[in-house]
Amino acid sequence: AQSVSQHNHHVILSEAASLELGCNYSYGGTVNLFWYVQYPGQHLQLLLKYFSGDPLVKGIKGFEAEFIKSKFSFNLRKPSVQWSDTAEYFCAVKESGYSTLTFGKGTMLLVSP
Amino acid sequence: DAGVTQSPTHLIKTRGQQVTLRCSPKSGHDTVSWYQQALGQGPQFIFQYYEEEERQRGNFPDRFSGHQFPNYSSELNVNALLLGDSALYLCASSTGRISGANVLTFGAGSRLTVL
């Protein structure tokens, strides 16, 4: 069974700091990769996704992620975080040919103003 | 607006009871997946329904069962509730295509507390 590891459970940053959240997965075949965000009191929302092509994908709200196949990684980045980015971030992987997601445990990001 | 609606939003049960959670998928979606999100954990896949049949199942006991109706809505049933079943239960909908471009849309969840 595949697994997804998110390196940090809690991250605290000041506004304007840069963000990088790590994500590694275990499956060696073709995968589709996702980052979901859950703002306080809200439902899970898709932040960005990678299916194929350019390994650097851009999502909403200035987020981007880079797929590095050799490292089985899909790290999330943002150059300058805002207080409104305070949320829980989940990395998820889907094996090609299946439609179910395997999620990491999530990273809680707190941005102080 | 998520497009996926779940009910109830919160409920409290006692050990041994049974619970039914409901989900209406986003318009245009025909596939429903259920996930369990325990406190401090990521969502875990329970099962998926397509064309009124269970298409895939995760590592959950038979106490967890489901159903999909002709209008694509779905129910999740949990029998003989345990304290460890306390969690947020998420419904996600998608189209039936098993392809890379298939993205799940999640509902807000039903928070179950078992006492």
Side-chain angles (χ1 to χ4, degrees):
Chain A
Q2 59 173 280
S3 63
V4 178
S5 297
Q6 292 186 236
H7 306 163
N8 307 97
H9 290 303
H10 294 88
V11 172
I12 301 174
L13 295 173
S14 299
E15 274 193 316
S18 64
L19 170 71
E20 180 160 4
L21 301 182
C23 172
N24 287 90
Y25 61 94
S26 63
Y27 184 66
T30 302
V31 293
N32 306 129
L33 299 157
F34 306 81
W35 276 95
Y36 278 86
V37 61
Q38 192 167 32
Y39 297 104
Q42 296 189 26
H43 59 277
L44 273 171
Q45 301 173 41
L46 182 67
L47 201 55
L48 48 77
K49 60 187 183 292
Y50 171 80
F51 292 125
S52 62
D54 188 346
L56 184 63
V57 293
K58 295 189 184 300
I60 60 173
K61 303 186 180 184
F63 286 90
E64 65 178 30
E66 185 176 13
F67 170 49
I68 303 179
K69 188 174 182 179
S70 61
K71 295 185 177 180
F72 300 92
S73 70
F74 189 56
N75 292 353
L76 180 70
R77 299 194 292 248
K78 186 171 184 178
S80 176
V81 294
Q82 301 173 321
W83 175 80
S84 59
D85 293 326
T86 293
E88 190 155 21
Y89 293 81
F90 294 94
C91 179
V93 174
K94 179 171 77 71
E95 293 178 47
S96 182
Y98 292 85
S99 58
T100 61
L101 295 176
T102 300
F103 283 86
K105 291 188 175 182
T107 297
M108 184 67 220
L109 171 66
L110 177 61
V111 180
S112 58
Chain B
D1 181 9
V4 177
T5 58
Q6 293 186 241
S7 63
T9 54
H10 296 83
L11 69 167
I12 300 173
K13 294 285 187 177
T14 57
R15 281 179 296 176
Q17 285 189 311
Q18 178 263 344
V19 68
T20 297
L21 308 177
R22 296 176 177 82
C23 171
S24 292
K26 180 179 179 179
S27 178
H29 287 181
D30 56 9
T31 302
V32 173
S33 304
W34 287 93
Y35 288 77
Q36 180 196 65
Q37 187 177 9
L39 200 61
Q41 303 293 317
Q44 280 197 294
F45 174 69
I46 303 175
F47 43 55
Q48 183 183 80
Y49 277 84
Y50 173 67
E51 292 187 340
E52 302 179 49
E53 291 190 355
E54 185 182 288
R55 181 158 70 176
Q56 283 183 266
R57 188 178 182 93
N59 189 25
F60 278 79
D62 292 344
R63 298 187 298 108
F64 289 77
S65 63
H67 189 77
Q68 187 180 34
F69 300 93
N71 66 352
Y72 309 122
S73 67
S74 176
E75 288 182 350
L76 164 65
N77 300 292
V78 187
N79 295 322
L81 285 167
L82 304 173
L83 295 178
D85 295 331
S86 295
L88 181 67
Y89 288 85
L90 298 170
C91 173
S93 71
S94 58
T95 65
R97 296 178 294 115
I98 303 180
S99 70
N102 201 357
V103 176
L104 298 182
T105 299
F106 284 85
S110 294
R111 183 163 298 282
L112 170 65
T113 301
V114 182
L115 301 176

